[in-house]
Amino acid sequence: TPQIQDALNTLLGERSWDALLIDNLALVGTLDLGRRVWSKDRARMLVYVSHVHEEAVRKQLAASLPRRSPKRLALRLDAVKAALLERRLVDAADLVTVNTEYDADLYRRRVPDQHYLVLTPGYDGSGVAGRVIDARTPRRITLLGSYAWIGKQVNLWRFLEAGAGLLAPAGLGIYLVGWTPDDFATRLRTPFPGV
């Protein structure tokens, strides 16, 4: 957007930066803007913070839908677009961070000489000193996150199809905690009433 361009022009033109981090395919346009405003003496390193190997995930998502589904065609086109954007970021970056070694291997297949750093997400806060789990403790699985993206919705649906029927008789409840579109939550209620 023009607002992002103006903000970047201001920030990148103000002073030197140690690194420029891009963490979203939607920001690939900043590469062109960045080339006009900053150079290697203004930002020493460009880092692509990858959250997932988008090309692979989006191809899998499209392939998971019925062959004649219009949504499948739209998602295949989206996968092609995402692959082009992702490749552009990986090619431009001095460093690509990934969440898993699996994703690093996927990137290495196309760009073996790139620098990859695996940064596994984790919790680094304080822990509970002690806890007793006994027969009175409810058994629950909590799935924490946002289900706005169709890829997460498909993954959740598959998980529930495979596991909800097995977990409920064992007394395990499943809780979704986080933003879920109303229409998707409504579609979940009939086949998975215990969620």
Side-chain angles (χ1 to χ4, degrees):
T1 65
Q3 295 85 357
I4 289 176
Q5 290 182 9
D6 290 345
L8 282 171
N9 276 322
T10 300
L11 287 170
L12 294 172
E14 281 178 353
R15 59 186 172 120
S16 294
W17 296 88
D18 293 326
L20 177 63
L21 282 73
I22 297 178
D23 80 336
N24 191 301
L25 290 184
L27 296 174
V28 74
T30 61
L31 292 174
D32 294 331
L33 177 64
R35 283 191 190 99
R36 291 197 304 270
V37 178
W38 64 274
S39 61
K40 284 294 182 186
D41 30 314
R42 288 197 123 344
R44 295 199 267 301
M45 179 180 278
L46 175 65
V47 180
Y48 172 39
V49 181
S50 165
H51 300 285
V52 68
H53 190 276
E54 296 281 352
E55 181 176 355
V57 167
R58 290 174 191 236
K59 281 181 181 177
Q60 290 169 357
L61 177 60
S64 73
L65 296 174
R67 287 197 182 274
R68 296 181 190 263
S69 167
K71 193 180 279 189
R72 179 183 172 125
L73 176 59
L75 290 176
R76 285 182 70 184
L77 293 172
D78 178 65
V80 170
K81 180 182 90 173
L84 293 172
L85 295 174
E86 183 174 57
R87 289 176 179 191
R88 197 160 163 227
L89 278 172
V90 171
D91 290 343
D94 297 299
L95 172 69
V96 177
T97 70
V98 294
N99 289 348
T100 66
E101 192 60 48
Y102 176 79
D103 282 349
D105 287 341
L106 290 174
Y107 283 119
R108 278 189 197 104
R109 290 179 191 168
R110 199 181 70 76
V111 187
D113 297 332
Q114 178 59 274
H115 300 283
Y116 300 100
L117 177 62
V118 178
L119 296 175
T120 305
Y123 177 70
D124 193 22
S126 58
V128 177
R131 180 171 179 214
V132 175
I133 298 176
D134 59 24
R136 295 172 295 169
T137 306
R139 302 300 192 252
R140 296 184 178 130
I141 296 172
T142 302
L143 302 171
L144 180 63
S146 165
Y147 294 94
W149 184 46
I150 189 168
K152 289 187 179 184
Q153 292 176 15
V154 168
N155 285 341
L156 174 62
W157 194 277
R158 286 180 169 172
F159 169 77
L160 294 174
E161 280 182 325
L166 300 171
L167 298 172
L172 288 163
I174 301 174
Y175 289 76
L176 299 182
V177 179
W179 190 81
T180 305
D182 290 338
D183 62 327
F184 182 62
T186 301
R187 283 196 338 252
L188 285 173
R189 286 192 181 98
T190 301
F192 312 112
V195 175

